[in-house]
Amino acid sequence: MGDWQERTYEGVLPAADTPGIRYTLTVRNREYSGDGTFVLAMTYLEAENGKDETVTYTGRRFTQRGSADDKDAVVWQLIADDGTVFNFLVSKEGTSLTLLNDKFEKSQSGLNYTLRLVQ
């Protein structure tokens, strides 16, 4: 199954009640496996009386094929230990992830929902 790989993606995504949510997502998997594990820290900027508040999820990462816009797209579905599900469209180069909704659709708001590979 190959060597273990670990990658981290980061970005500040829009939020309704705060200046944004800083996502730090670390995924770990074997080189030739589409499945693995993840740790996602979501920091709500200035959330609690002006102070940042962080929520951390851990769980399993699964690779899905196809999105609402592209039948050949690669989507990582993250299923947290508490059952929370996150869907991310993987860029062709693997250098960015775009948050999708539960129907594997991109946001229509025009706002930036992309995380960038940092390591």
Side-chain angles (χ1 to χ4, degrees):
M1 296 189 58
D3 293 332
W4 282 102
Q5 298 181 336
E6 188 171 287
R7 292 175 302 257
T8 300
Y9 297 82
E10 292 182 348
V12 177
L13 305 188
D17 299 331
T18 71
I21 305 169
R22 180 181 301 112
Y23 281 65
T24 302
L25 171 63
T26 300
V27 292
R28 188 168 193 257
N29 64 286
R30 295 276 191 168
E31 185 177 6
Y32 302 112
S33 175
D35 300 337
T37 60
F38 77 91
V39 176
L40 173 62
M42 297 170 56
T43 301
Y44 293 79
L45 304 175
E46 301 175 20
E48 189 65 35
N49 296 320
K51 296 185 190 253
D52 297 350
E53 185 174 306
T54 300
V55 177
T56 302
Y57 296 92
T58 60
R60 300 279 314 205
R61 186 204 78 180
F62 300 97
T63 300
Q64 308 290 331
R65 180 65 69 183
S67 70
D69 299 330
D70 180 359
K71 65 180 171 66
D72 293 322
V74 174
V75 176
W76 286 349
Q77 187 169 64
L78 311 179
I79 302 178
D81 296 335
D82 71 355
T84 304
V85 177
F86 301 91
N87 300 305
F88 287 96
L89 175 66
V90 181
S91 69
K92 301 240 185 276
E93 309 79 25
T95 57
S96 66
L97 306 174
T98 302
L99 185 64
L100 303 175
N101 66 17
D102 61 344
K103 296 177 184 160
F104 288 16
E105 300 167 327
K106 292 181 182 178
S107 170
Q108 299 302 311
S109 70
L111 299 173
N112 183 5
Y113 286 90
T114 301
L115 307 180
R116 302 267 176 229
L117 180 66
V118 294
Q119 65 177 3

